[in-house]
Amino acid sequence: MAEVVIVENAEAAGALVATEIVELIDRRQDAVLGLATGSTPLPVYQALRSRLAGRDVSQVRGFALDEYVGIDPSHPESYRSVITREVVEPLGLDPKRIHVPNGAEATIQHAGEDYDAAIAAAGGVDLQILGIGTDGHIGFNEPGSSFASRTRVKTLTEQTREDNARFFDSIDDVPMHCITQGLGTILEARHLVLLAFGEGKAEAVAGAVEGPLTALLPGSAIQLHPHATVVVDEAAASKLQLADYYRYTFANKPSWQGI
Ligand code: F6R
């Protein structure tokens, strides 16, 4: 089962995950990071700003989880722009080493295969940061996604388009399709770190961690992974049946073990 760490707030989660990433980069200068967009990972990227300052990050590589199909890459809400703004520029990463799936319609037929090939050529993802949607999606693997799926085009659910409308002028501007790493692709990363904050995520988190393995809740795929860490605040943990056990386990964890 995933290790669940219940923290006080998003800032504490950001600090915890940033420490793990810095240790990874110290061990391996060309570490491959799996980058999520959306609001959830922002405290991690924020904490990394000061932690990585002065370190050599020129070799660090990264792969984003997903991108909207048909969006102009220069649109401020394309995931290419978001990753550039929130991750590449503030952390001083080399933009040539940071990849985002190509959502251009002209090449979309083979964009998924190309992306999986690029991840494989990089030797796979060392640490994959994940958020979770209120409907249980990870990446943009909406309910019904195969656990064996590869990077491909998906249709966003109405719920996800409503959730993401806050980033656009109106829901009509939220693209209908996306290209996302598949659940099978995500499960190949060596360490999964799923973060979630707020009561709105509590049900999805409980289903992902403690519910049955089901395509209805794609986040439950993390139960198949040998090294998955779930970092949540109290509100997002509020529907976990074994919350006390997770607290007890983490409080008694040897300090050398990391997450
Ligand atoms: C983003 C992604 C999505 C988000 C999820 C939660 O790259 O893959 O799975 O992590 O939609 O979004 P937020 O964090 O905005 O609540």
Side-chain angles (χ1 to χ4, degrees), residues 35-41 64-67 79 129-135 137-141 160 163-164 166-167 180 195 197 201:
L35 303 165
T37 48
S39 311
T40 307
L65 276 172
D66 38 24
E67 177 59 290
Y79 284 170
I129 301 168
L130 295 168
I132 188 164
T134 53
D135 65 0
H137 69 237
I138 55 173
F140 272 142
N141 293 283
T160 299
D163 287 348
N164 287 8
R166 69 191 192 279
F167 298 117
T180 178
L195 299 110
F197 310 121
K201 299 288 175 77

Side-chain angles (χ1 to χ4, degrees), residues 218-240:
S220 64
I222 66 166
Q223 294 177 39
L224 294 169
H225 198 282
H227 188 188
T229 310
V230 174
V231 185
V232 285
D233 64 6
E234 291 287 346
S238 59
K239 296 204 162 125
L240 287 167

